[in-house]
Amino acid sequence: MAEVDLLRSLPRTQRNVQKRAEGKDETVVAIARQFGQMYWDGPRQYGYGGYRYDGRWRAVARDIIAHFSLRPEMRVLDVGCGKGFLVKDLMLECPGLQAFGLDVSTYALMHCEKEVVGRLHLGSAEALPFPDRSFDCVLSINTIHNLPRPRAIQAMREIQRLSEERAFVQVDSYRTPQQKEIFESWVLTAEFHDYPEGWLKLFRESGYTGDYYWTIID
């Protein structure tokens, strides 16, 4: 396992943590965790506040392709693909790459980019519907933390099962008590989160050997 920031090229998102905290209650959290229209394209208090393609993932796709030495005809799976932006950009940056996605959100898949129609699957990270070692690379960005810890372990085992050598996950974390406080004011969907040491323990328990990094709000 290696800690590597493959999302370093993404522009930093402006977050109004105080406003989110003031508007967050059990109802808002419950709606966000449905991962439906309100989460993706509703008011900001429920999630993204509008998740639209703008090409920002192309630089991330280039970094992923370079890091894992991906080539045309290799197979890549994005677990928690949302509307398929990264799947699309992986194929744009490496023509011939066979990129696919999986997500729990029917809404996201029904509003995907036209270039990935037929490449996105409905399903859960803890039960990936593919044979062992059927992908050359498996990615999961800001998804695994949306499961409680036992199910997160199972999801990591599934990622390991599909791709023993090339894999990358990024999850919600924090390095200081201050960052933890900010995160807990902002978070809507994460059911398990921890300091990096806690996540590394989870990775070891699952047998995961791929790469990883953290989403930290500060």
Side-chain angles (χ1 to χ4, degrees):
M1 292 191 298
E3 181 176 310
V4 54
D5 183 5
L6 292 180
L7 273 65
R8 57 187 176 272
S9 61
L10 276 183
R12 290 184 64 85
T13 302
Q14 297 297 318
R15 294 182 172 94
N16 189 330
V17 176
Q18 181 177 351
K19 184 176 181 180
R20 168 68 64 84
E22 291 172 351
K24 187 171 75 169
D25 57 24
E26 291 183 2
T27 300
V28 169
V29 170
I31 291 172
R33 288 180 176 174
Q34 294 174 12
F35 300 104
Q37 185 270 338
M38 294 292 281
Y39 174 76
W40 295 102
D41 292 321
R44 181 64 162 152
Q45 73 181 103
Y46 294 100
Y48 281 97
Y51 193 59
R52 300 172 181 84
Y53 181 81
D54 60 7
R56 70 178 59 194
W57 287 94
R58 290 197 67 163
V60 175
R62 287 193 294 270
D63 289 340
I64 290 171
I65 291 164
H67 179 73
F68 290 113
S69 300
L70 300 179
R71 304 182 302 277
E73 303 309 321
M74 282 185 166
R75 291 169 54 84
V76 181
L77 177 66
D78 180 13
V79 178
C81 65
K83 295 181 180 180
F85 298 165
L86 180 57
V87 174
K88 172 180 175 176
D89 287 349
L90 284 166
M91 293 190 298
L92 286 174
E93 292 298 325
C94 183
L97 185 68
Q98 298 301 304
F100 302 88
L102 177 140
D103 205 278
V104 298
S105 172
T106 299
Y107 177 87
L109 301 186
M110 292 292 289
H111 293 80
C112 70
E113 293 293 289
K114 63 181 181 180
E115 293 87 351
V116 298
V117 170
R119 291 183 171 272
L120 307 186
H121 301 262
L122 181 67
S124 172
E126 63 193 301
L128 298 176
F130 307 102
D132 295 356
R133 298 182 296 278
S134 53
F135 290 90
D136 299 290
C137 180
V138 178
L139 313 166
S140 186
I141 297 171
N142 296 331
T143 294
I144 302 302
H145 51 237
N146 292 327
L147 299 169
R149 192 177 191 280
R151 293 170 61 192
I153 292 174
Q154 178 58 27
M156 296 303 299
R157 288 174 177 159
E158 284 288 273
I159 290 171
Q160 183 72 20
R161 179 180 67 82
L162 294 195
S163 178
E164 293 185 349
E165 296 183 3
R166 299 181 179 93
F168 173 76
V169 297
Q170 182 152 329
V171 291
D172 283 341
S173 190
Y174 29 77
R175 300 186 188 276
T176 67
Q178 293 76 19
Q179 289 176 342
K180 182 175 187 291
E181 182 178 355
I182 293 171
F183 168 79
E184 290 176 340
S185 297
W186 177 263
V187 65
L188 294 173
T189 60
E191 295 204 39
F192 175 76
H193 49 88
D194 207 337
Y195 291 93
E197 294 78 8
W199 275 111
L200 292 173
K201 180 180 179 183
L202 184 151
F203 295 162
R204 290 191 293 269
E205 288 180 33
S206 69
Y208 179 68
T209 60
D211 298 333
Y212 56 87
Y213 205 66
W214 325 112
T215 296
I216 295 177
I217 302 172
D218 51 17

